[in-house]
Amino acid sequence: MSHSPALALASWRDFQHHRTSAISLLAANSLPLLGVLFWGWSTFAIVLIYWFENAIIGVINILKMLCCTESETDEESVPFVHAMKLLFVPFFTFHYGMFCAVHGAFVMLLSGGEVPFEGPADDWTEPLVMLRETGTLWGIVGLAISHLYSFVRNYLIGGEYRRVTLPTLMFQPYARVVVLHLAILFGAFATVALGNSIFVLVILIVGKTAIDLALHLREHRSGSEKQRDDRHDGQNRGNEGFGASAK
């Protein structure tokens, strides 16, 4: 029985192969959970942390595009790849930046900036002050370190920069960003409807972490792993065909 690639987002083998970056992801995502359970971090603080993670993912993806070489293609195409960066990088920066800015403004307006300070946030620097004073800034730092480590470990050292293409990188972050935006919107609505509900926050953080881990492992599967999976699926189909003919 074969499994659909869309459903097989990750496996234990993927976790073992990318163990260090997966553990760093889990550790970074555990900081918001610990903050909620033990340090009184609010719903608005968690939503703000996740919004900053959107920006971190965007910056890392720009670095990926700049480092991309697609060296598995013929050497004559390499200068063309570098020239295309002049188009792809600014376009991604503008499009992704607008995407995050609109959602960030929506979240700020929806939550009213009431948590943990009183009244609407007329000064848009208040969230930054809140992050510093409550210690939630460390949640952002932890996520930034996790994404940067994955970039160095998987993309640079692991050689992903030689296999991935610029068009792929243009759209690659959006799968994980959609998860983050859903978490942001859910958290913002929860702030309005329920206030600082620990139960809701735990569900939000655990669910986001589980999906994020699955997408992370799927994204960083190497070309050889995918080829091995394709061969394995082909062998399974061949065995099924042999079994059917034997009958």
Side-chain angles (χ1 to χ4, degrees):
M1 180 178 179
S2 61
H3 297 280
S4 170
L7 297 177
L9 286 176
S11 66
W12 176 248
R13 184 178 61 191
D14 295 326
F15 184 87
Q16 290 287 78
H17 189 77
H18 302 286
R19 182 171 56 254
T20 56
S21 63
I23 291 175
S24 71
L25 182 150
L26 291 173
N29 278 274
S30 69
L31 289 177
L33 183 61
L34 294 174
V36 167
L37 294 176
F38 301 107
W39 304 318
W41 291 3
S42 65
T43 304
F44 183 68
I46 299 302
V47 167
L48 202 57
I49 288 172
Y50 286 163
W51 185 85
F52 272 102
E53 188 179 7
N54 287 332
I56 293 168
I57 290 174
V59 172
I60 293 295
N61 199 62
I62 291 174
L63 292 177
K64 288 182 177 181
M65 297 175 78
L66 292 174
C67 295
C68 172
T69 63
E70 303 179 35
S71 62
E72 291 185 348
T73 59
D74 57 278
E75 294 184 0
E76 295 180 356
S77 301
V78 174
F80 175 74
V81 171
H82 290 298
M84 289 299 292
K85 294 177 184 179
L86 298 176
L87 173 64
F88 279 87
V89 172
F91 181 79
F92 172 80
T93 302
F94 174 78
H95 184 270
Y96 187 88
M98 289 295 295
F99 185 72
C100 291
V102 170
H103 279 265
F106 177 75
V107 168
M108 287 294 296
L109 292 174
L110 182 63
S111 60
E114 295 182 0
V115 184
F117 29 77
E118 298 293 331
D122 296 326
D123 183 359
W124 282 68
T125 63
E126 280 194 56
L128 302 180
V129 174
M130 179 270 293
L131 289 174
R132 186 182 69 251
E133 292 180 348
T134 61
T136 47
L137 179 62
W138 292 109
I140 299 173
V141 172
L143 291 169
I145 292 174
S146 173
H147 285 287
L148 185 60
Y149 175 78
S150 178
F151 168 70
V152 174
R153 171 65 179 82
N154 297 315
Y155 194 77
L156 297 181
I157 298 177
E160 290 181 2
Y161 70 94
R162 296 192 300 265
R163 297 188 294 268
V164 72
T165 65
L166 283 173
T168 299
L169 289 172
M170 277 288 297
F171 300 101
Q172 191 177 72
Y174 287 96
R176 293 178 72 180
V177 166
V178 165
V179 174
L180 279 172
H181 279 296
L182 290 175
I184 289 172
L185 294 176
F186 179 79
F189 279 113
T191 299
V192 174
L194 303 174
N196 291 330
S197 171
I198 293 181
F199 178 72
V200 171
L201 284 176
V202 168
I203 294 177
L204 170 67
I205 295 169
V206 172
K208 178 264 181 187
T209 302
I211 298 174
D212 197 23
L213 176 62
L215 292 174
H216 169 82
L217 295 176
R218 182 66 176 177
E219 175 184 328
H220 294 294
R221 298 179 77 184
S222 68
S224 61
E225 287 176 296
K226 292 178 180 178
Q227 291 173 3
R228 184 170 61 246
D229 288 345
D230 291 340
R231 290 197 301 268
H232 180 71
D233 291 341
Q235 291 173 357
N236 285 341
R237 287 192 293 269
N239 291 336
E240 291 173 359
F242 176 77
S245 62
K247 292 179 181 179

